[in-house]
Structure formats: structure tokens, C-alpha cells
Amino acid sequence: MTLEQLFAESLGVAVDLVHDDLTYQSIPQWDSTAHMLLIARMEDEFGVMLDTDDIIDMSSVAKARQILAKYDVQC
Amino acid sequence: MNTASSVSGMLSGQKVLITGAARGIGAAIAERFASAGATLWLNGRDGPSVSALAELLNQRYGVSCSPLIFDVADEQQVKAGFRQLFSQSKTLDVLVNNAGVLDDALLGMVTQRQIQQTFAANTFSTLYCSQYAVRMMQRAGHGSIINLSSIIGRVGNSGQAVYGGSKAAVIGITQSLAKELASSNIRVNAIAPGFIDTAMAHSIGEERFQQRLDSIAMGRIGSADEVAKVALFLASDLSSYVTGQIIGVDGGMLI
């Protein structure tokens, strides 16, 4: 699964809406509750446990990609 | 411990982390939960003690019981501990924030180090562990967090400004998280023990020990298992509509 697909499924939005510049709270679907569900989905999908700092820093799709790279996840 | 057969299986299938489980109230909760069929992770700093208890409960009750060695006062160690837990289970049903320290001193004699250590062990640890546990509970779709406060956190006591402050903060954390997490089906409650028969209680000297006994309406010290039974209630579905509560287990103690 691509990162875009994961975001789309977790947030309940069309995949073509998900791009690197999409930022936290820029759309109603990506609120704080959805953010935590998104984190859980990422952890399940990629088999990592993210740090609290990473969760706070994950302010965009591009940032998510960058954070996952720290855990050797390329997506 | 008198383990009633009626509680057998009450926590069957429930995944539970208990901090500060090596001795005292934490160990009593571990035994109660093991007798109720829970799958346990026991935290403590003293590896051999925690491992020995885990092995004992495994043999006595036939439940999975694993040691998880880290210092709850150290955020980095908490992170590493939860990472280890996460590698074994993606979900958690119950967290018991029990670990804590008691270090009394009159205000003029309180050191900066005492303040930092006491709040780190009693208060910050509750936030650190809850933060990681909640993520695992949200994945499960439910959860119960049980925080150990103290009667001193509710009513205060001379010579215990630091301890009382750290335990009062636990009450604030409990009531706030109960409101924040109710929509995630995660209940958050606290137990406020009074004078309980643990090594901590016997460390205060004979004269103060007797004074404490004299202040208890029921006229006796409480047992760690009497606290554990309330923890079992809060962990189980018997308390399915209970959240944000601070339950005193103090025999009618007045301070």
C-alpha cells in the first residue's frame, strides 16, 4: 500500500486529494482524532511504533514520508 | 490472598500493564489480575524481583506474565519499554499506573532533587505511560486506565507537600483524561489508598505508625489486596459505566 492510499483510507478522502503538500487540519477530515487513527494505521501497516515527537511533527504527507524514512520505511 | 472463584476468568483475554509491580500494592494487583485470567506485563526497575514475580504468577495461575524492566520516571525508558511491549502486542486493554515513591520532608527541608524525583515518579510517569498506552487502547477500541493516587493527594498532610502535590496532580490527570478519552471508550479512574500494609507504610517510624492507625475509623491498617480488589473492579466490565472517579480505599481514615 502506498502512503497516499493509506492516508486516503484513514481519512476517508479520495486518493487524488492526497499529495505531499496536504497538511494537518487543512481539511475537515484530518482533525486531531483522525490524526491518531492515522498514526495507528501507519504503525500497523509499516510495523513501527512512532515516537510522540514524531506524531506531533507529522504536519503533512511529505513530513510523514520523511518521518517514516527514519524507521527505514520507504513509501 | 483469598481468591474467590467467582473472579476467575473476569479478565480473561485482557492485556494488562501494571507499573511498579515488584512489591506492595502493585504486586497485589498483579496477583489479583493473574487470578482473574489476565495476560500481564509487569513493570519495575528491579529486574530479578519483577521476573521472579512474573514466574510465580505464571506457575500459580497459568497465565502469560512477562517482565518489562524500565524506570517510569524516565521518558526515554518509558518509550523503550512500550516499544518492547508493542513488539509483543499491538493492543492494550488495561494500564495500572501504580509506580511511585514516598519521600516526606517539611517544606523548609525539601530539596529541588526531592521535588523533581517525586513528581517524575508519581506524576510525570502517569502521563508518559498513559500517552503510549492510549494509542494501543485506541487501536483496541476500548480501555481502562487505573491511576494510583493517595488520600494525601485528596486532603493533604503535614510534611507531605511534595508527595501530596504529586498525588493531587494524579487526580487532575485522571479527571481530565476521563473527559478526553470517554469518546474513545477508554475509562480513566483513580484509587486513593489510605494507610496500607506495605513496606512504605512501615518506613515512617513506630510513633507515626500508631498515630495513623488511630486516625482510621475501621481501626486497622488496610491490606494491599483490598486495594487490588478495587483495581479489579475498575479493570473489569463491572465498572463499564464508571469513569473520572477517585475511589478512596482507606477504612474511613481522617487526616
Side-chain angles (χ1 to χ4, degrees):
Chain A
M1 174 177 285
T2 67
L3 188 60
E4 286 79 4
Q5 286 171 326
L6 188 146
F7 264 81
E9 285 186 14
S10 300
L11 302 180
V13 299
V15 72
D16 56 5
L17 189 72
V18 181
H19 46 78
D20 273 6
D21 295 336
L22 181 66
T23 56
Y24 174 58
Q25 292 190 329
S26 64
I27 55 173
Q29 292 91 339
W30 193 357
D31 61 11
S32 56
T33 303
H35 192 69
M36 295 312 294
L37 295 173
L38 176 64
I39 296 298
R41 185 71 195 280
M42 288 171 71
E43 289 179 329
D44 288 344
E45 184 67 27
F46 300 120
V48 297
M49 194 188 98
L50 302 175
D51 289 353
T52 303
D53 289 343
D54 294 329
I55 295 171
I56 295 164
D57 289 344
M58 199 174 291
S59 54
S60 68
V61 175
K63 192 72 181 175
R65 203 184 308 278
Q66 197 180 329
I67 288 167
L68 285 167
K70 282 197 320 184
Y71 296 86
D72 296 326
V73 175
Q74 304 301 326
C75 51
Chain B
M1 186 183 82
N2 177 21
T3 305
S5 59
S6 58
V7 305
S8 177
M10 190 183 275
L11 296 183
S12 181
Q14 297 290 295
K15 296 172 181 173
V16 179
L17 169 61
I18 303 168
T19 70
R23 58 185 64 85
I25 290 171
I29 292 173
E31 178 148 20
R32 265 288 160 191
F33 283 21
S35 75
T39 296
L40 293 172
W41 283 270
L42 305 183
N43 157 262
R45 287 180 299 179
D46 181 355
S49 296
V50 177
S51 297
L53 179 63
E55 181 65 27
L56 174 73
L57 297 182
N58 179 278
Q59 288 181 4
R60 186 175 289 173
Y61 299 102
V63 294
S64 170
C65 195
S66 309
L68 209 53
I69 311 304
F70 62 88
D71 182 354
V72 294
D74 181 335
E75 200 271 341
Q76 291 302 316
Q77 288 195 39
V78 172
K79 186 191 300 183
F82 270 88
R83 201 174 291 283
Q84 190 183 338
L85 173 58
F86 189 78
S87 70
Q88 298 168 36
S89 172
K90 297 289 179 282
T91 61
L92 187 69
D93 301 299
V94 179
L95 168 67
V96 183
N97 281 311
N98 167 74
V101 297
L102 176 68
D103 191 2
D104 296 347
L106 293 173
L107 185 62
M109 303 291 283
V110 171
T111 65
Q112 181 72 12
R113 184 181 169 84
Q114 273 177 303
I115 295 170
Q116 287 176 341
Q117 287 184 339
T118 303
F119 272 82
N122 295 355
T123 310
F124 302 156
S125 65
T126 301
L127 289 167
Y128 299 151
C129 291
S130 297
Q131 203 166 27
Y132 285 102
V134 162
R135 286 162 57 187
M136 300 176 74
M137 290 174 176
Q138 283 174 326
R139 188 178 277 108
H142 63 90
S144 173
I145 297 176
I146 302 162
N147 296 326
L148 269 292
S149 179
S150 164
I151 190 172
I152 308 302
R154 301 177 92 179
V155 300
N157 193 32
S158 173
Q160 296 194 288
V162 179
Y163 179 77
S166 72
K167 290 296 190 180
V170 169
I171 292 174
I173 292 166
T174 300
Q175 292 174 325
S176 297
L177 285 183
K179 291 175 179 172
E180 183 173 325
L181 299 172
S183 62
S184 298
N185 200 26
I186 298 171
R187 300 181 294 105
V188 188
N189 295 285
I191 299 172
F195 199 40
I196 304 299
D197 194 4
T198 63
M200 202 182 265
H202 289 280
S203 70
I204 64 173
E206 199 171 323
E207 190 180 343
R208 284 183 68 198
F209 189 91
Q210 189 56 50
Q211 285 172 351
R212 290 283 169 87
L213 280 185
D214 293 342
S215 70
I216 300 170
M218 290 182 71
R220 65 171 177 83
I221 195 166
S223 73
D225 188 51
E226 288 174 309
V227 179
K229 285 187 284 189
V230 177
L232 178 62
F233 165 72
L234 291 173
S236 76
D237 278 347
L238 288 177
S239 60
S240 57
Y241 201 52
V242 179
T243 195
Q245 302 305 305
I246 316 303
I247 302 179
V249 183
D250 58 23
M253 189 177 192
L254 291 173
I255 293 180

